[in-house]
Amino acid sequence: MVRPLRPPPQPLGSYLQRVCRWLFRLALRGPLWTPLAMGAVAFVVVTALPLVGGAGLGLGQPWRVLALIAAAGGVLLGISAWPARYRLRRQDLHEHELEALRRLPREELAHLVGAVYRRAGYGAVETGRGRGAGIDLELHNKRGVSLVQCRHYREASVDMPALRELHAVMRTVHACRGVVITTGGFTELAGSYARVHGITMVDGRTLTRMLRVAVPAEAGRRLASD
């Protein structure tokens, strides 16, 4: 009977990398005081290692130095996760805001977008989708009329046919510009079409940033009430 060959033992560095990755994920998801807890646990573990060999606690040299080094490493490893933790929290907040925007009635979203453009100096008229292709807003300034369409329903990306419909209405009313707003994104073909035909694309990330900067109080109130 041939015994299967055992896989070669992994080097110590591989195990240390696994432990460091696990601790990093722990600091990423845990409370802010997690690095302090990691440092304290590392100190206790190193101090207790001599007990395995039958000796007492490692309170003297060199165990105390090793315990302090392990504690400092645990704290620094936990603190190193804070930038990624901040980015993760920002991403979660962004997703929460997008989900709240998707649940708003389309007229409510158009009202918020209109407030943003009024803050930027435009004259914004809410059409209630009175024009073709679901136009929600008419923007007026010195350059003429711009048409805004809010496509905030659950779609991953807006494709070129939607922009083609908007461009047809723009030509009919001689609008100088068009704006398509979505809580999702745009396909590459839609981006190419928009650049050629004077259409501005506002994706979900840009939309939440616009609302947060221009009308934070009103946007927060409407999203919270939803």
Side-chain angles (χ1 to χ4, degrees), residues 202-219:
V202 179
D203 60 9
R205 186 174 298 276
T206 305
L207 174 61
T208 55
R209 185 166 60 248
M210 288 169 56
L211 294 175
R212 196 183 304 121
V213 172
V215 287
E218 186 173 0

Side-chain angles (χ1 to χ4, degrees), residues 179-190:
V179 182
V180 177
I181 296 176
T182 178
T183 52
F186 296 88
T187 64
E188 293 185 5
L189 286 177

Side-chain angles (χ1 to χ4, degrees), residues 9-218:
Q10 295 186 0
L12 179 61
S14 176
Y15 290 106
L16 291 178
Q17 288 179 0
R18 290 184 181 180
V19 172
C20 289
R21 286 196 295 266
W22 182 81
L23 292 175
F24 186 87
R25 289 195 295 267
L26 179 63
L28 189 64
R29 292 293 185 178
L32 285 176
W33 48 263
T34 301
L36 295 178
M38 291 167 54
V41 170
F43 183 88
V44 171
V45 169
V46 174
T47 302
L49 280 178
L51 293 176
V52 179
L57 289 175
L59 299 178
Q61 302 291 351
W63 289 104
R64 185 169 58 184
V65 175
L66 293 175
L68 291 174
I69 292 175
V75 172
L76 292 176
L77 179 62
I79 292 177
S80 68
W82 282 356
R85 177 191 181 95
Y86 173 77
R87 292 192 296 269
L88 184 62
R89 294 295 175 89
R90 294 284 296 179
Q91 182 179 354
D92 291 343
L93 176 61
H94 169 71
E95 293 298 330
H96 174 74
E97 290 176 340
L98 280 182
E99 189 63 29
L101 287 174
R102 293 186 183 109
R103 291 196 299 266
L104 283 179
R106 184 166 173 171
E107 291 76 12
E108 291 285 333
L109 180 63
H111 180 78
L112 288 175
V113 173
V116 171
Y117 280 102
R118 291 186 190 99
R119 187 73 176 268
Y122 288 87
V125 179
E126 300 172 25
T127 64
R129 287 178 283 176
R131 292 191 180 275
I135 303 302
D136 297 276
L137 291 167
E138 290 184 1
L139 305 179
H140 300 268
N141 64 357
K142 295 180 180 180
R143 292 184 296 176
V145 178
S146 301
L147 303 181
V148 180
Q149 183 186 55
C150 298
R151 307 181 69 90
H152 83 300
Y153 44 85
R154 294 175 181 272
E155 58 180 341
S157 58
V158 176
D159 207 347
M160 189 171 62
L163 275 66
R164 188 182 292 118
E165 293 177 2
L166 174 61
H167 184 245
V169 181
M170 291 168 54
R171 294 179 59 184
T172 301
V173 301
H174 304 290
C176 65
R177 190 166 64 100
V179 182
V180 177
I181 296 176
T182 178
T183 52
F186 296 88
T187 64
E188 293 185 5
L189 286 177
S192 301
Y193 187 90
R195 286 188 291 270
V196 172
H197 295 91
I199 299 176
T200 300
M201 301 181 300
V202 179
D203 60 9
R205 186 174 298 276
T206 305
L207 174 61
T208 55
R209 185 166 60 248
M210 288 169 56
L211 294 175
R212 196 183 304 121
V213 172
V215 287
E218 186 173 0

